[in-house]
Amino acid sequence: MDVQREIDTRGLNCPLPILKAKKALAEMLSGELLRVVATDPSSMRDFQAFARQTGNELVQQETAGTEFIHVLRRR
């Protein structure tokens, strides 16, 4: 997967990972991919809701140990 930007939100709790992702997506072009690495377990459902509400596509979510990885495509 060709990700254009990645942000590290490890150690941050809701709503900070979402707010940082929103800011990063605003600086990206339509169709570009953003990878967000988080440690907050609630980020799994938070990013699902964020994608539904904003129209950005949640391309992938995975859990890697204590990290939660989210890939979003900018609308």
Side-chain angles (χ1 to χ4, degrees), residues 9-30:
T9 65
R10 292 178 188 105
L12 300 178
N13 291 323
C14 180
L16 290 174
I18 293 290
L19 294 175
K20 289 190 174 287
K22 184 177 180 180
K23 183 176 186 287
L25 285 166
E27 299 169 355
M28 297 172 67
L29 300 174
S30 181

Side-chain angles (χ1 to χ4, degrees), residues 54 58-59 64 69:
T54 62
L58 185 59
V59 178
I69 299 159

Side-chain angles (χ1 to χ4, degrees), residues 4-45:
Q4 282 72 40
R5 187 159 177 192
E6 180 171 333
I7 58 173
D8 180 356
T9 65
R10 292 178 188 105
L12 300 178
N13 291 323
C14 180
L16 290 174
I18 293 290
L19 294 175
K20 289 190 174 287
K22 184 177 180 180
K23 183 176 186 287
L25 285 166
E27 299 169 355
M28 297 172 67
L29 300 174
S30 181
E32 289 187 328
L33 295 177
L34 171 67
R35 182 174 189 257
V36 182
V37 181
T39 51
D40 182 1
S42 67
S43 69
M44 293 300 275
R45 70 170 185 275

